[in-house]
Amino acid sequence: MHVDIAGVAKAATVAAGFDWRWSADDLPRFCAAAGWQVADERPRMVRLTTNLDVERPAAAAIGSYHTGDDGQRLLVEYVTLTVADIATESAEVLAGSRTEISARLTTELGPGHRIRSGARSALTWERPAVTIRVVADEQSIALEFANPHCPAPPQQRGSADPHVGADDWPRFTTALAHTLSRMPYDGFLVLSTVGNRYAQFRMRADRLFCEIVGNDYLDEEFRVSPADETTMAETGWRSGTGGGDANWHLDIELPASFGVYDAAAARVTVALRDILRVPTPDLLELRTWVDDARWELDSSLLTAARQR
């Protein structure tokens, strides 16, 4: 594993001194200052190419659209880039890389504020125009530049809506694709119905994890046939690896285009409708939550999908 400490330090230093206004117009200016490039724009996301000497020199600016006197504009909420993918490395390697990055940024930016939640830790530097964070978990290390003026999420970190979707699966699929593309770091989304039939999603620093329940956890009347399992594999799902993991898995590496989220949502629809035999999306219960209380998961499109 290689970590570009100097590249991380330069990006953070540029971000700390940058004149952030948190519109999409900031991104070309920031890229010019940091030596990055704007790659392309997707719904609620602008993909960036960094100059870090790492395997995947990519970043993403995530935001939401706001309507003003000059029309609809993207308000950038945060920029995130994975600076080290350590999924196959040891805990010692993770700790060492995190310590190196933290020490260098402390030299450049001064002492930061440390936050820890389970296996996840963050070292944060607050500036008037930007919040800079180094976020690490058991799989990756990410650097984030966040808009300090975004409204704080509500105290209630989870939500439930027992009637999500409609009897229109295409509409549900589109809503799911948009919802997945908007999920914040450490966000969870679960769609479930009777018989322990469910799909669940978790957003991490470098990828979105998607799961469909496997036979080991399904009520007997809803267990799927070998032919159905073949269909799951043919549509891109990986079977569980054993050791208590009997679900079907699909990972989306980040940053990802909206087309990738759309394709994943289509696979989820096939699994729910054709394999698990859920008649209509309105039978699915939706639950969402975010481990980081500063953010919320916007599931409004999935909720609205049931409305005609």
Side-chain angles (χ1 to χ4, degrees):
M1 178 191 69
H2 174 69
V3 181
D4 186 355
I5 303 293
V8 171
K10 178 182 176 181
T13 302
V14 172
F18 187 71
D19 179 24
W20 291 101
R21 301 175 187 177
W22 296 105
S23 71
D25 294 338
D26 282 359
L27 301 177
R29 294 190 300 113
F30 179 80
C31 286
W36 297 7
Q37 294 181 332
V38 175
D40 57 44
E41 183 171 351
R42 305 290 179 175
R44 287 178 51 99
M45 178 179 75
V46 178
R47 296 199 305 171
L48 311 172
T49 302
T50 76
N51 59 357
L52 269 65
D53 182 17
V54 293
E55 183 177 350
R56 295 176 58 244
I62 311 297
S64 56
Y65 289 101
H66 293 253
T67 303
D69 295 338
D70 54 351
Q72 192 177 65
R73 297 177 63 85
L74 179 68
L75 172 67
V76 177
E77 297 172 0
Y78 63 96
V79 177
T80 181
L81 58 148
T82 300
V83 298
D85 184 352
I86 61 157
T88 61
E89 301 288 350
S90 66
E92 290 78 11
V93 172
L94 165 61
S97 299
R98 184 176 60 225
T99 298
E100 283 188 81
I101 293 173
S102 299
R104 179 62 181 271
L105 292 191
T106 297
T107 299
E108 300 290 340
L109 304 176
H113 174 63
R114 190 171 297 279
I115 303 171
R116 180 173 293 277
S117 176
R120 178 177 180 270
S121 66
L123 188 60
T124 301
W125 291 265
E126 303 284 350
R127 296 291 188 270
V130 64
T131 298
I132 299 170
R133 294 192 290 262
V134 174
V135 181
D137 59 22
E138 69 277 8
Q139 293 184 316
S140 63
I141 304 174
L143 179 65
E144 297 179 355
F145 311 136
N147 182 348
H149 307 299
C150 282
Q155 294 299 318
Q156 178 64 35
R157 294 168 61 186
S159 64
D161 185 337
H163 298 100
V164 176
D167 58 354
D168 183 349
W169 282 105
R171 188 180 182 193
F172 166 84
T173 303
T174 299
L176 179 61
H178 282 281
T179 302
L180 296 179
S181 73
R182 299 177 177 190
M183 284 181 67
Y185 180 84
D186 264 358
F188 293 78
L189 187 152
V190 180
L191 295 161
S192 61
T193 189
V194 295
N196 204 35
R197 292 173 289 175
Y198 64 82
Q200 59 186 12
F201 311 87
R202 185 183 188 187
M203 182 65 79
R204 303 300 284 169
D206 64 341
R207 67 195 63 218
L208 172 67
F209 294 97
C210 311
E211 287 188 37
I212 299 293
V213 62
N215 264 351
D216 285 5
Y217 305 120
L218 282 167
D219 288 1
E220 185 173 359
E221 64 180 298
F222 296 110
R223 288 177 185 167
V224 304
S225 68
D228 289 332
E229 292 182 329
T230 298
T231 299
M232 289 290 288
E234 289 176 345
T235 54
W237 294 94
R238 303 190 318 274
S239 59
T241 57
D245 178 12
N247 287 345
W248 294 89
H249 299 267
L250 180 71
D251 300 346
I252 298 176
E253 292 190 355
L254 304 179
S257 68
F258 180 74
V260 174
Y261 290 106
D262 195 38
R267 292 186 177 110
V268 171
T269 292
V270 169
L272 292 172
R273 180 192 61 204
D274 302 339
I275 305 300
L276 297 180
R277 305 189 301 280
V278 179
T280 59
D282 65 302
L283 298 177
L284 294 168
E285 177 183 340
L286 169 66
R287 290 183 295 121
T288 67
W289 67 95
V290 183
D291 276 351
D292 189 333
R294 294 168 296 181
W295 306 102
E296 63 180 333
L297 198 160
D298 181 4
S299 59
S300 58
L301 287 178
L302 270 177
T303 302
R306 75 179 188 271
Q307 300 173 353
R308 296 176 180 273

